[in-house]
Amino acid sequence: MKRLLILEDGTVFEGEGFGAEANVVGEVVFTTSMTGYQETITDQSFNGQIITFTYPMVGNYGVNRDDYESIAPTCKGVIVKEHARLASNWRNQMTLDEFLKRKGIPGIAGIDTRALTKKLRSVGTMKGSIVDPADQLEHSFDQLKATVLPTNQVAQVSTVTPYPSPGVGRNVVVIDFGLKHSILRELSRRECNLTVMPYNTDAQTILDLCPDGVMLTNGPGDPKDVPEAIEMIKQIQGKVPIFGICLGHQLFSLANGADTYKMKFGHRGLNHPVREIATGRIDFTSQNHGFAVDETTIDPEKLMVTHVEVNDGTIEGVRHRNYPAFSVQYHPDAAPGPHDGVHLFDEFMEMMDAWKEQA
């Protein structure tokens, strides 16, 4: 089944369709991950995006029950060079094709992903659409150009009602901006008693739960589209320890006077080297974000930069100078990816314990 990938600059790629047969519009991005396509597709930070995999073959080990980062993925589509029709792995439960069909997500194979990625690197991410060749191309382009991408992405993926993930240890409130299950996994491994709350939960509701700490999770889109979360962070910092990841890092920085900006093509992959400034330690990290904190806007009396990206020097971590609170741009929980940064969860545990002793 022939399908087309069209970009808003007029570029057309022809390929073979797999997965669902839907026509979709989304922001076309690329990830340099060599593995972990199931975790990537089910990561809610890809909400509304069409994911280009730079690794040549995708789908060869199928889809299994263990590697979901969410149950209902909300990416718009999948672009690959070669789609593996047969899946060979002892954990395999279904093929990638079958999984995408069940989730209503279209895929397109046979695309020159190298050329597509080079284009996105040179001109930046852009709107794209997966359509049928039988459709009138001019009309498809008109529809693509007229489509306004949504800005309520966090509201689309955050839980609507609070729910518990019981444990026997520290009480942690998790603010869900589009969380990955691996964050809950790491906290549960440390026996934390978790309460997951919607993105728009107010500060008093959080403090009424008497948490030992608050986790600000990852999520999709522009952090400035979630002003209620920024206000909430302002009101809880100093009253409870905070750990922010990815979107949570950007929101924490905005709450302390810094600014954020949209990157040209973002960081998406498992191989991003990050340097801890204090020690010089290099961690290879899993990342998925299209926005970053502007270093020139950081108030040195409030925030201290703790980590930077080795390749482009962008901000990868900050710590509050006066309160027990820190955040990182990358995913220390990984999934998929290297677990170099997983020690940050232990630092969060130590921070909560130290805060409790002072109280």
Side-chain angles (χ1 to χ4, degrees), residues 13-180:
F13 291 90
E14 183 177 310
E16 289 287 330
F18 67 102
E21 295 182 14
N23 287 7
V24 293
V25 175
E27 181 185 29
V28 181
V29 300
F30 67 88
T31 174
T32 56
S33 305
M34 294 178 67
T35 184
Y37 54 80
Q38 181 180 343
E39 296 96 324
T40 298
I41 291 168
T42 58
D43 180 352
Q44 296 290 11
S45 294
F46 281 109
N47 172 270
Q49 295 177 329
I50 302 174
I51 309 166
T52 305
F53 287 91
T54 59
Y55 191 71
M57 177 179 277
V58 174
N60 52 315
Y61 55 84
V63 171
N64 65 77
R65 69 178 187 181
D66 300 323
D67 293 339
Y68 289 99
E69 288 303 310
S70 69
I71 299 302
T74 57
C75 67
K76 286 292 187 178
V78 172
I79 303 167
V80 301
K81 174 84 167 67
E82 183 179 353
H83 161 239
R85 290 178 175 83
L86 293 177
S88 177
N89 185 273
W90 66 274
R91 295 193 302 161
N92 170 51
Q93 292 180 305
M94 69 182 82
T95 64
L96 178 61
D97 177 52
E98 184 182 353
F99 173 71
L100 293 179
K101 279 185 168 73
R102 291 188 182 189
K103 299 301 181 182
I105 299 170
I108 185 168
I111 300 298
D112 186 346
T113 51
R114 185 179 178 86
L116 174 57
T117 300
K118 287 178 73 175
K119 176 178 282 290
L120 297 177
R121 282 182 62 89
S122 62
V123 302
T125 58
M126 65 180 88
K127 286 189 294 184
S129 184
I130 297 175
V131 297
D132 292 322
D135 296 345
Q136 191 175 7
L137 206 53
E138 188 177 344
H139 178 62
S140 296
F141 272 114
D142 288 343
Q143 282 190 313
L144 174 60
K145 290 172 183 173
T147 300
V148 178
L149 297 179
T151 58
N152 65 333
Q153 292 157 287
V154 171
Q156 290 179 33
V157 298
S158 175
T159 185
V160 178
T161 56
Y163 63 90
S165 179
V168 296
R170 305 166 185 89
N171 288 307
V172 178
V173 168
V174 180
I175 308 301
D176 176 15
F177 299 115
L179 64 79
K180 293 171 66 179

Side-chain angles (χ1 to χ4, degrees), residues 47-342:
N47 172 270
Q49 295 177 329
I50 302 174
I51 309 166
T52 305
F53 287 91
T54 59
Y55 191 71
M57 177 179 277
V58 174
N60 52 315
Y61 55 84
V63 171
N64 65 77
R65 69 178 187 181
D66 300 323
D67 293 339
Y68 289 99
E69 288 303 310
S70 69
I71 299 302
T74 57
C75 67
K76 286 292 187 178
V78 172
I79 303 167
V80 301
K81 174 84 167 67
E82 183 179 353
H83 161 239
R85 290 178 175 83
L86 293 177
S88 177
N89 185 273
W90 66 274
R91 295 193 302 161
N92 170 51
Q93 292 180 305
M94 69 182 82
T95 64
L96 178 61
D97 177 52
E98 184 182 353
F99 173 71
L100 293 179
K101 279 185 168 73
R102 291 188 182 189
K103 299 301 181 182
I105 299 170
I108 185 168
I111 300 298
D112 186 346
T113 51
R114 185 179 178 86
L116 174 57
T117 300
K118 287 178 73 175
K119 176 178 282 290
L120 297 177
R121 282 182 62 89
S122 62
V123 302
T125 58
M126 65 180 88
K127 286 189 294 184
S129 184
I130 297 175
V131 297
D132 292 322
D135 296 345
Q136 191 175 7
L137 206 53
E138 188 177 344
H139 178 62
S140 296
F141 272 114
D142 288 343
Q143 282 190 313
L144 174 60
K145 290 172 183 173
T147 300
V148 178
L149 297 179
T151 58
N152 65 333
Q153 292 157 287
V154 171
Q156 290 179 33
V157 298
S158 175
T159 185
V160 178
T161 56
Y163 63 90
S165 179
V168 296
R170 305 166 185 89
N171 288 307
V172 178
V173 168
V174 180
I175 308 301
D176 176 15
F177 299 115
L179 64 79
K180 293 171 66 179
H181 288 180
S182 51
I183 292 177
L184 300 183
R185 242 177 252 128
E186 290 300 333
L187 292 170
S188 294
R189 275 192 187 125
R190 290 156 180 82
E191 300 185 334
C192 293
N193 183 52
L194 308 178
T195 306
V196 183
M197 306 291 286
Y199 77 98
N200 55 358
T201 305
D202 64 85
Q204 194 56 54
T205 301
I206 295 168
L207 295 174
D208 285 347
L209 292 169
C210 300
D212 297 317
V214 173
M215 165 66 71
L216 309 173
T217 76
N218 65 293
D222 186 342
K224 292 175 184 172
D225 290 334
V226 202
E228 54 270 74
I230 298 170
E231 189 57 37
M232 174 271 290
I233 295 167
K234 288 180 182 177
Q235 293 178 33
I236 67 168
Q237 63 181 9
K239 299 173 184 175
V240 63
I242 297 172
F243 179 17
I245 292 175
C246 200
L247 183 67
H249 157 77
Q250 297 162 16
L251 291 167
F252 174 65
S253 299
L254 286 169
N256 284 285
D259 196 12
T260 56
Y261 64 94
K262 185 172 174 60
M263 305 171 78
K264 189 174 183 180
F265 49 82
H267 292 162
R268 297 176 181 89
L270 314 180
N271 51 358
H272 290 266
V274 169
R275 183 175 70 250
E276 185 177 35
I277 294 172
T279 63
R281 167 180 171 149
I282 304 290
D283 285 342
F284 280 89
T285 65
S286 173
Q287 301 202 14
N288 177 13
H289 61 102
F291 290 81
V293 176
D294 184 350
E295 183 178 13
T296 64
T297 64
I298 289 178
D299 183 349
E301 293 186 3
K302 289 183 178 179
L303 297 178
M304 172 176 62
V305 177
T306 57
H307 298 77
V308 294
E309 220 269 10
V310 173
N311 291 324
D312 60 14
T314 51
I315 300 298
E316 289 288 338
V318 295
R319 183 178 294 270
H320 205 287
R321 290 193 180 274
N322 305 314
Y323 305 137
F326 70 100
S327 63
V328 290
Q329 181 62 77
Y330 55 94
H331 291 265
D333 52 290
H339 291 269
D340 295 17
V342 75

